[in-house]
Amino acid sequence: MRSPVVAGGRTVGPRVVVIGAGIVGCSLADELTVRGWTDVTVLEQGPLPAPGGSTSHAPGLVFQTSPSKTLARFAAYTIEKFRTLEVDGVPCFAQVGGLELATTPERLADLHRRAGYATAWGIRGEIVSTARCKELWPLLDESVVLGGFHTPGDGLARALLAARAQMDRATTRGARFLDRHTVTGIERENSRVTAVVTDRGTFPADHVVSAAGFWGPVIGRMAGVDVPLQPLAHQYARTAPLPELSGATAEASKPILRFQDRDLYFREHTDRIGIGSYAHRPLPVDPFAVPSYEEARAQDREMPSSYPFTAEDWAPSWEECRRLLPALRETEIETGFNGVFSFTPDGMPLLGEAREPRGFWLAEAVWVTHSAGVAKAVAEWMVDGRPSLDVHECDLTRFEEAQRSPSYVRERGAQQFVEVYDVLHPLQPAERARPLRVSPFYARQQQLGGFFLEGGGWERPHWYEANAPLVDTLGELPERDAWSARYWSPIAAAEARATRERVALYDMTPLRRLEVTGPGALAFLDRMTSNNLRRKPGAVTYTLLLDEGGGICSDLTVARLAPDHFQVGANSPADLDRLLRHAPADVRIREVTSGTCCIGVWGPLARDLVQPLTHDDFSHEGFGYFRAKRTHIGHVPVTALRLSYVGELGWELYTTADSGLRLWDTLWEAGQRLGVVAAGRSAFNSLRLEKGYRAWGTDMTAEDTPFEAGLGFAVRMDKEGFTGQAALRDLAEPTRRLTPLLLTDPAAVVLGKEPVRVDGAPAGHVTSAAYGYTLGRCVAYAWLPAGLPTGTDVHIEYFGEKIAATVADEPLVDPEMTRIRR
């Protein structure tokens, strides 16, 4: 990073060029300049203050409630900031509230779930009756409404005004905004950005931020950076004046209204109603074919992001609008357009700095709803080196290479559009562009009746229908509610029991594997991670990747296979990216996931299965816990790691992809005499929670420290400096901890992200949860205040119901570790 520049006795920071003066670019300029980086130039191809991108036509709805805590916090900050802004006495935010309607029992249940999210993330909201919905929106036909979810803190952002207000503030601190500058190239030298080239000159830069909205892929290509973003057009229309709204003087007085059962939303425009629809077919737009501002005007279009209204797509939605709001039956649509905005394959923004070229940042696929929150996070990232909240869901590296093809991005982006208002189960997979990635065992898994869900593009078996006869041996299982029974089968209980009592094979191929080699490999990995890696070859170490603030960026399993050769079990593509950014010249890092595979062989009979297949000693004395060994299983060369994430004796067996099927068949055939089963992710998740094993990205993130997350054992504060060590030394005693809970009712199940109440007041939220078949109770982990004693009664809010639970000691199963070390 270029050192800050001092001009006239004041620090102005590095030279930053932001591409795009929409709501994101203006917000970012404001956030950077308030932090002292004032050498900021914002380039815009259209005219200011309304340049013609998505901001120029945005309806401005800001709803805070989301399944994603990160998005909820982005939206909360956007409201907090915009409420303080005005232009010429006109406020930039109208806090009229929000109202989501239910017209079906399924939607009403989902609104209770959304109310739980709101409580978990600290957002004010309540489920309201049909009568209250009518009070809030008198134009409603209450006969079709079953209830609603009211969020009084939500409202309408005047996006162009908010952009203007932040542009003015940033300008007073030294930023400059240049319109009618079309970016034509990005100059690079020694893998760093150096300048932005436009049709009106070149602008030197130490950092370049693409905040170009749906033009993001165009800018990314100039920098040699893939931007997996699909623009789509979205219908928006305004009615003619309504007699029922005559005399209105305010732009809006009623809550923004969402009719999600029909993919519609509504807002007032004084005496008119504005209506947005996601109910139509996806209308993808090629970002490389979008006209310039002048070209759009020449085509009689108001702006580049506004496409002609397609009446045939609108007709079904218009009938639904009139059904919900009878006043619309006496009016017509006065104006309409198809407005373009951005979708990614998972619906989340694209944020962060590219590894190559360094200094090139993305702040893309960001809606007005999250704009100021995103800008704050990116500004913190640029100035301080890390954002103050976890943004791993938005990290630009998160997609696998297999998920970056144009056809995949287009198809999944379109699906995100279709599903904007759908009731989605947390385990619900995409139905299309599958199968994309499969392990070498896939054919055998299909033969066993594997039920597959998807993660990272991988087909992951969650249970096997071949194990259905084992369910009869379990006795009676508690009946599940319809929601928690989706993407679940009692077969998972049978597979968990077989793992505890016999032996099971788990496909662990999707877990990321990195190979780190070279003379400097040990020193590098030891510096990058929290635990002591200076152990003899054959040792395996559980350790953490921390950021400079001591937050958990990932957890790793590091096997030292030779003095200068390590196998690293990682989580996301961001782990590889982080290591590559810091690797010295004498270290080589290579991802080997796709060329390898892994079978977890776990259960009390695991040794009975594996030992006859190898000439090496697999006894406890000959192959201890957290040790690694290169050997053969039958004819197959493997790297065996004695690890277990289900709390039972066993090994992870790694081999090359071409030998994978032979490894599976060898183990399967030999295991028949022992009653071996194939087991899926559903059983795995149950067993790992009973053992208290954390899942990064779910149970802990960069917002959490090892001591809060119960991972202090993986931190060696006495070793020579490692990333995050200084910050950990300065930490106060934790005020919050990741806490195990046992639900009281044997039939009760929660799934994650539910609010937890202590003494009746919201105190935290569930991270992971699964039924513990060994315990006969659902296990949940939750972030709660530190110091809650074992046995403390709490309540988990599940679809509006309070589920009793108690704080438990961990691990819940085999605390003496005798099963895993036998």
Side-chain angles (χ1 to χ4, degrees):
M1 182 181 295
R2 182 173 178 266
S3 299
V5 176
V6 178
R10 65 188 180 90
T11 301
V12 298
R15 297 167 299 184
V16 180
V17 175
V18 178
I19 301 172
I23 189 65
V24 178
C26 292
S27 296
L28 181 58
D30 184 47
E31 294 290 340
L32 285 171
T33 55
V34 80
R35 288 169 172 79
W37 281 22
T38 56
D39 190 349
V40 177
T41 300
V42 182
L43 302 175
E44 173 53 58
Q45 64 178 342
L48 290 174
S54 299
T55 301
S56 300
H57 65 66
L61 281 67
V62 182
F63 278 95
Q64 299 170 82
T65 305
S66 167
S68 166
K69 182 174 70 169
T70 299
L71 291 187
R73 291 169 70 179
F74 283 162
Y77 180 78
T78 299
I79 290 174
E80 176 187 335
K81 183 177 188 180
F82 286 6
R83 285 184 63 196
T84 69
L85 302 177
E86 62 177 42
V87 175
D88 299 329
V90 179
C92 293
F93 189 77
Q95 200 161 33
V96 294
L99 179 62
E100 302 177 41
L101 299 178
T103 60
T104 65
E106 294 77 15
R107 181 67 64 176
L108 186 60
D110 190 61
L111 293 187
H112 280 281
R113 182 172 65 125
R114 291 180 57 76
Y117 292 145
T119 301
W121 314 146
I123 299 165
R124 191 156 60 101
E126 63 173 342
I127 299 296
V128 295
S129 66
T130 300
R132 178 60 176 151
C133 291
K134 178 72 171 177
E135 289 176 13
L136 291 166
W137 253 86
L139 300 184
L140 286 174
D141 179 356
E142 68 269 36
S143 69
V144 302
V145 177
L146 302 182
F149 175 46
H150 182 220
T151 46
D154 293 339
L156 293 166
R158 298 180 175 93
L160 284 176
L161 279 186
R164 165 74 184 282
Q166 293 176 100
M167 181 169 62
D168 291 346
R169 297 199 328 178
T171 300
T172 64
R173 303 187 193 109
R176 57 177 176 165
F177 291 75
L178 304 177
D179 64 359
R180 306 286 187 175
H181 281 64
T182 300
V183 173
T184 58
I186 295 172
E187 294 184 350
R188 293 167 273 171
E189 185 177 333
N190 297 326
S191 298
R192 281 203 66 92
V193 295
T194 57
V196 175
V197 182
T198 76
D199 58 350
R200 297 176 65 180
T202 298
F203 297 83
D206 302 300
H207 295 274
V208 175
V209 185
S210 177
F214 56 78
W215 283 287
V218 179
I219 302 302
R221 180 176 292 182
M222 296 178 191
V225 174
D226 178 48
V227 180
L229 175 160
Q230 175 61 56
L232 288 114
H234 162 59
Q235 291 202 305
Y236 192 80
R238 294 193 192 192
T239 68
L242 297 178
E244 291 82 354
L245 300 179
S246 63
T249 56
E251 179 187 1
S253 60
K254 301 174 185 63
I256 45 180
L257 184 69
R258 291 206 281 188
F259 182 21
Q260 290 148 305
D261 287 322
R262 293 297 180 268
D263 299 309
L264 294 165
Y265 63 83
F266 306 82
R267 58 153 293 181
E268 297 166 286
H269 292 281
T270 313
D271 61 350
R272 294 163 168 80
I273 299 293
I275 308 164
S277 171
Y278 294 98
H280 56 84
R281 62 193 167 94
L283 300 168
V285 172
D286 180 357
F288 294 90
V290 175
S292 68
Y293 188 90
E294 298 302 332
E295 290 170 337
R297 300 290 287 186
Q299 298 170 10
D300 291 327
R301 287 163 49 187
E302 186 176 350
M303 63 187 82
S305 61
S306 176
Y307 279 62
F309 193 63
T310 48
E312 66 276 14
D313 292 312
W314 177 255
S317 292
W318 185 229
E319 292 305 311
E320 293 295 341
C321 294
R322 290 173 156 181
R323 181 170 72 91
L324 182 71
L325 304 175
L328 301 183
R329 297 169 188 168
E330 304 303 321
T331 190
E332 296 296 334
I333 294 301
E334 189 171 74
T335 61
F337 65 97
N338 290 357
V340 183
F341 64 140
S342 303
F343 286 83
T344 58
D346 62 1
M348 298 294 286
L350 292 166
L351 310 179
E353 183 189 17
R355 182 166 46 84
E356 288 187 8
R358 296 297 298 272
F360 183 78
W361 296 76
L362 293 184
E364 296 291 9
V366 181
W367 297 2
V368 171
T369 303
H370 311 114
S371 55
V374 162
K376 176 175 182 281
V378 173
E380 291 171 336
W381 210 339
M382 296 175 71
V383 176
D384 304 327
R386 63 190 293 263
S388 58
L389 53 80
D390 170 60
V391 295
H392 83 274
E393 293 175 307
C394 312
D395 194 292
L396 62 87
T397 67
R398 69 187 181 272
F399 296 113
E400 305 285 347
E401 189 64 30
Q403 298 174 300
R404 290 179 171 272
S405 70
S407 59
Y408 184 93
V409 172
R410 179 186 175 103
E411 190 166 345
R412 287 292 173 96
Q415 182 173 352
Q416 289 297 322
F417 177 92
V418 170
E419 293 178 349
V420 161
Y421 283 164
D422 286 0
V423 177
L424 298 176
H425 192 277
L427 293 177
Q428 186 166 333
E431 297 301 327
R432 302 184 63 185
R434 292 177 61 194
L436 184 64
R437 306 174 81 188
V438 298
S439 80
F441 325 127
Y442 185 61
R444 298 293 184 264
Q445 293 166 341
Q446 288 182 304
Q447 291 168 3
L448 293 170
F451 180 87
F452 295 91
L453 300 179
E454 185 203 32
W458 288 99
E459 294 297 319
R460 298 186 174 196
H462 275 240
W463 65 82
Y464 297 88
E465 289 297 329
N467 295 323
L470 300 178
V471 174
D472 295 336
T473 69
L474 296 176
E476 188 172 350
L477 287 172
E479 186 174 342
R480 287 199 173 205
D481 66 279
W483 185 253
S484 67
R486 290 183 67 184
Y487 307 105
W488 172 85
S489 168
I491 295 171
E495 293 174 358
R497 180 172 176 178
T499 307
R500 289 277 190 239
E501 296 182 353
R502 299 192 303 279
V503 61
L505 305 184
Y506 288 82
D507 181 1
M508 307 304 289
T509 300
L511 299 183
R512 187 172 309 279
R513 290 173 291 287
L514 312 177
E515 181 182 75
V516 183
T517 58
L522 173 59
F524 168 64
L525 287 172
D526 203 47
R527 183 178 74 252
M528 290 295 295
T529 66
S530 62
N531 212 339
N532 176 30
L533 300 185
R534 296 183 180 275
R535 303 169 63 196
K536 294 179 181 180
V540 182
T541 305
Y542 177 80
T543 188
L544 306 173
L545 268 180
L546 305 178
D547 62 24
E548 294 292 347
I552 305 170
C553 295
S554 188
D555 61 343
L556 309 177
T557 301
V558 180
R560 190 177 189 186
L561 304 180
D564 298 335
H565 184 181
F566 295 82
Q567 178 176 301
V568 177
N571 287 296
S572 73
D575 297 346
L576 174 62
D577 185 77
R578 178 176 291 270
L579 292 173
L580 287 171
R581 286 174 188 268
H582 294 90
D586 61 351
V587 173
R588 181 171 183 247
I589 303 172
R590 186 169 68 101
E591 177 157 0
V592 297
T593 310
S594 296
T596 57
C597 58
C598 177
I599 299 175
V601 183
W602 292 315
L605 302 183
R607 184 175 289 115
D608 300 74
L609 172 54
V610 175
Q611 183 62 82
L613 301 175
T614 179
H615 293 292
D616 281 292
D617 184 0
F618 270 57
S619 69
H620 183 63
E621 295 73 24
F623 197 156
Y625 189 53
F626 263 73
R627 299 292 298 172
K629 183 180 294 189
R630 284 172 162 166
T631 184
H632 288 80
I633 300 296
H635 299 298
V636 180
V638 302
T639 298
L641 273 56
R642 187 165 169 203
L643 305 177
S644 173
Y645 287 95
V646 298
E648 294 293 333
L649 170 69
W651 290 265
E652 293 178 357
L653 302 177
Y654 296 89
T655 191
T656 53
D658 60 331
S659 296
L661 190 59
R662 182 61 179 266
L663 177 61
W664 178 280
D665 288 344
T666 299
L667 293 166
W668 185 256
E669 182 180 347
Q672 293 308 301
R673 63 186 177 84
L674 303 171
V676 70
V677 303
R681 296 290 299 182
S682 187
F684 176 90
N685 200 43
S686 169
L687 296 168
R688 70 102 180 162
L689 279 172
E690 289 185 330
K691 197 62 183 171
Y693 293 141
R694 277 71 165 142
W696 181 84
T698 302
D699 296 315
M700 73 277 193
T701 67
E703 291 185 16
D704 312 309
T705 69
F707 308 121
E708 293 172 325
L711 297 176
F713 66 88
V715 179
R716 288 292 298 271
M717 292 299 293
D718 58 344
K719 80 169 185 175
E720 192 174 344
F722 61 87
T723 302
Q725 186 179 41
L728 293 182
R729 285 199 182 105
D730 294 336
L731 289 177
E733 187 69 20
T735 60
R736 55 194 284 276
R737 291 190 185 276
L738 188 60
T739 305
L741 304 175
L742 267 180
L743 275 61
T744 305
D745 183 352
V749 174
V750 298
L751 300 180
K753 300 188 178 182
E754 296 89 356
V756 181
R757 296 177 181 270
V758 179
D759 295 329
H765 69 276
V766 173
T767 57
S768 293
Y771 199 85
Y773 301 108
T774 312
L775 300 165
R777 295 284 191 281
C778 182
V779 180
Y781 271 76
W783 282 104
L784 291 172
L788 293 178
T790 299
T792 299
D793 292 328
V794 303
H795 285 92
I796 301 172
E797 192 172 309
Y798 181 73
F799 286 89
E801 296 183 8
K802 292 181 178 179
I803 308 295
T806 57
V807 173
D809 282 327
E810 62 175 346
L812 298 166
V813 170
D814 190 27
E816 297 82 16
M817 301 288 284
T818 56
R819 301 175 68 88
I820 207 168
R821 296 180 184 271
R822 62 177 98 194

